[in-house]
Amino acid sequence: MKSLLVCSNSTKDFKIVEECDERRIISSAPDISILDEMGTYDKVVAVGGGAVIDTAKIISKNPIICYPTTAAGSSATSWSVYWDATTKHSIKRMKPNQIAMNYIFVENLPDNVVKDTTYDVVSHCLDSMFSKKRTKKSVGYCEKALELLTEKESYKNFNLIRAGHIAGRAIEITGTNLLHSLSYPLTGNYGISHGTALGYFLPKISKLMDYDVSDIVGDIKIDLDIDIDFVIDEALKYNKIYESDIFIDRKMLLEVLV
C-alpha cells in the first residue's frame, strides 16, 4: 500500500498519528503537471493549507486524511485547484473522509497567513451568499462561519480554521463566483497570493453587496500596481463570475473597482 504525507515547509515537522512511506513538501498551488500523478497513491495524508490539501486530493486514489492549517475550505470540498500557466482550473476529486483540526498546529500562525486566510474564508462566504445556487443550508453554513470569525477569545486561530471548513461546505454547494474570479488574474498574472488578491477586492465588493465585514477584516489597505482593465477582462473569461446573483458586466465592474 503506497502512502504519502503531503505538507509544506511550515508543517513538515508537525507530529501526526498516521505513518507514511514518503513525504512531499510543496510550496505553491499545483500546476497542470500534477494531473500526470492523479490517483497514484493508495493513502495520502495532508498537513497544511489549500495548496497542500488540493495536491493531496489529486494524487490520491482514495479519500485523504487531512489536518487543515488555514481556512482555505479544501478540507470540505470535492474539488481541487490547479493552474495551467496563468489560468486557474478546478477538477472533481473525492472529499476528505477524515479531518483533524489541531489547535497546536495553528496557535502560532504568522500574521500575514492569518490575514490572507481570513480574506479567503470571508470571500467564500460572500460569494456563496450572493450565488444563484445558494440554498438555505449554504446560507446557514456562511452565517455560522462568519459568526465564528467574530469571536475574539484565545482560540481565535482555531475558530478561523473551523470557519474555513464550514464555509467550505457552503462552496461545495454553490461554488465561488465574483470575488474569486476577480482574484485569479492577480494570482495568475501578477503572482499575488490568493488571500491578498481577495483582500484587495473585498472592501469594494462587500460595499457593492451591502454586506459589512469590517468587524472581521478591519480596514484593509492593500496597494497594488495592476492594470485593472486587464484584470477585469481576464476575470470575465471565467464563466463562474456570472453565477453571482449580482448583475455583472465590464462597465459595472469598472464603476465599482476604479
Side-chain angles (χ1 to χ4, degrees):
M1 183 173 178
K2 200 173 181 183
S3 62
L4 175 72
L5 170 65
V6 182
C7 55
S8 66
N9 270 312
S10 61
T11 65
K12 63 184 179 183
D13 296 322
F14 288 169
K15 303 298 183 184
I16 61 172
V17 175
E18 292 76 21
E19 293 185 2
C20 296
D21 302 320
E22 302 174 32
R23 182 176 70 172
R24 182 179 303 187
I25 300 172
I26 66 166
S27 58
S28 61
D31 64 27
I32 193 169
S33 65
I34 197 70
L35 300 184
D36 295 336
E37 296 185 76
M38 188 183 299
T40 301
Y41 290 85
D42 298 293
K43 175 184 176 182
V44 180
V45 181
V47 185
V52 168
I53 297 172
D54 283 348
T55 299
K57 288 193 288 189
I58 291 173
I59 63 181
S60 180
K61 67 172 61 173
N62 299 302
I64 68 167
I65 301 167
C66 70
Y67 296 76
T69 61
T70 72
S74 187
S75 57
T77 71
S78 58
W79 296 92
S80 284
V81 168
Y82 70 90
W83 288 82
D84 182 3
T86 60
T87 303
K88 174 262 181 189
H89 295 276
S90 295
I91 184 171
K92 191 75 170 177
R93 301 303 292 153
M94 291 172 283
K95 285 195 292 186
N97 67 349
Q98 295 183 51
I99 301 99
M101 298 182 194
N102 192 324
Y103 172 71
I104 296 173
F105 290 177
V106 300
E107 62 179 337
N108 294 313
L109 288 177
D111 289 344
N112 65 309
V113 173
V114 170
K115 283 184 180 180
D116 271 12
T117 201
T118 299
Y119 299 153
D120 195 8
V121 64
V122 171
S123 297
H124 283 156
C125 290
L126 292 183
D127 270 359
S128 185
M129 288 191 297
F130 287 85
S131 170
K132 292 176 181 177
K133 298 179 179 179
R134 69 181 178 270
T135 65
K136 184 176 180 180
K137 180 176 287 188
S138 67
V139 171
Y141 286 144
C142 293
E143 290 174 344
K144 177 60 178 175
L146 292 171
E147 179 185 347
L148 277 172
L149 292 175
T150 62
E151 297 183 8
K152 306 296 184 183
E153 81 297 325
S154 60
Y155 292 100
K156 183 178 179 181
N157 283 356
F158 186 65
N159 279 344
L160 174 59
I161 308 309
R162 290 174 60 206
H165 182 76
I166 293 168
R169 292 177 177 172
I171 62 171
E172 174 73 357
I173 296 170
T174 65
T176 55
N177 45 74
L178 176 53
L179 274 160
H180 281 71
S181 295
L182 286 169
S183 78
Y184 299 145
L186 295 194
T187 299
N189 297 92
Y190 291 93
I192 296 165
S193 72
H194 181 57
T196 299
L198 289 167
Y200 179 77
F201 291 110
L202 258 176
K204 290 181 178 179
I205 297 300
S206 61
K207 184 177 181 181
L208 171 67
M209 293 172 170
D210 194 24
Y211 201 99
D212 185 8
V213 292
S214 60
D215 58 332
I216 298 171
V217 298
D219 183 18
I220 300 175
K221 296 185 185 300
I222 300 174
D223 294 320
L224 300 175
D225 183 15
I226 61 171
D227 181 346
I228 195 64
D229 289 277
F230 169 78
V231 169
I232 289 172
D233 287 341
E234 291 298 300
L236 289 172
K237 294 177 182 178
Y238 289 96
N239 291 332
K240 63 160 49 180
I241 198 170
Y242 303 105
E243 293 175 3
S244 171
D245 69 2
I246 298 169
F247 173 76
I248 302 294
D249 68 5
R250 191 176 191 282
K251 180 182 177 182
M252 183 278 283
L253 289 175
L254 277 171
E255 289 174 351
V256 170
L257 298 176
V258 175

